[in-house]
Amino acid sequence: MTDLFNQWGNALFHTRNVLFPILIATMLFFFPPVAIGTAPGDYFLAIGLLLVTAGQALRILTIGLAYIVRGGRNRRIYAENLVTEGVFAHCRNPLYVGNILIVIGFMFISGNTAGIILGSLGFMAIYRLIVFSEERFLTEKFGQAYLDFCADVPRWLPRFKGLGETISHYEFDWPAVAVKEYGTLFTSLMISLGLVSWKLKLADSLVQNRMPIMTAAILIVSAYAIVRFLKKTERLRSMR
């Protein structure tokens, strides 16, 4: 069974960039958003925005302190070295935790109760399988050093004790955050804005809020274009 889980985890990692958008779109198709101005939909909306913000903040903090090169090589699980610094000293998978918070946040923003439950459980299961495969890979590559790391640092729930001291020991690398995270940040903001617009349309309130929505969209797209240009022309580089 563990070999099967490992195969699933590797397959999900390999296809995640295509699979995840399809899964999110499918969830929203079968469990569409509810109109804004309804209860408990508006409470779910507030929770969703907080979750997306928290997830994105965790990713930004992680990358700004000690980025881990574990994005895969040729879309396969890969790691150059074992990173145990920065936020990784408090949580073994902070980037994945951030992703989970963001995706669950989308479900809460939509306000569809069935979508929230099924989407949350589904994406948590997917990331658990990916982490299962990563842990096997890292154990085989780093051996006892990784096992000691696992014994000391929690897999999912961050350990907040000492986090302030950890942050104070680093010079925050804003250029690294910009060049490595601008795509995820753009996606998080645009999907959230799109869901809110959808909910406003269902409530026949989109026309009244058209200018703020359009202004926000223009600002997000402009910021994305600027950062992408600076990255591609190498005017913006990580400090590390």
Side-chain angles (χ1 to χ4, degrees), residues 8 22 28 36 49-50 58 67 69 74 102 110 127 131 134 144 150-151 169 172 176-177 191 195 207 215-216 238:
W8 288 348
I22 292 175
L28 293 174
I36 206 164
L49 292 174
L50 286 174
L58 179 57
Y67 184 67
V69 182
N74 298 323
I102 291 169
S110 76
Y127 273 107
V131 168
E134 283 199 351
Q144 190 60 45
C150 291
H169 287 166
F172 197 83
V177 171
I191 290 180
L195 288 171
V207 174
T215 300
S238 170

Side-chain angles (χ1 to χ4, degrees), residues 18-78:
V18 174
L19 179 63
F20 284 15
I22 292 175
L23 288 177
I24 292 173
T26 301
M27 290 297 301
L28 293 174
F29 176 80
F30 286 104
F31 306 101
V34 300
I36 206 164
T38 61
D42 286 355
Y43 296 108
F44 289 155
L45 171 61
I47 293 171
L49 292 174
L50 286 174
L51 287 172
V52 172
T53 301
Q56 194 62 73
L58 179 57
R59 287 185 54 88
I60 288 172
L61 182 63
T62 301
I63 295 170
L65 296 185
Y67 184 67
I68 186 170
V69 182
R70 201 191 293 173
R73 175 175 286 181
N74 298 323
R75 293 189 295 172
R76 298 186 182 278
I77 293 173
Y78 172 79

Side-chain angles (χ1 to χ4, degrees), residues 23 28-29 77 83 87 102 111 116 138 140 144 155 172 185 193 223 229 239:
L23 288 177
L28 293 174
F29 176 80
I77 293 173
V83 178
V87 179
I102 291 169
I116 291 172
L138 295 170
E140 292 175 353
Q144 190 60 45
R155 177 186 286 127
F172 197 83
L185 184 57
L193 185 64
F229 171 78
M239 295 172 354

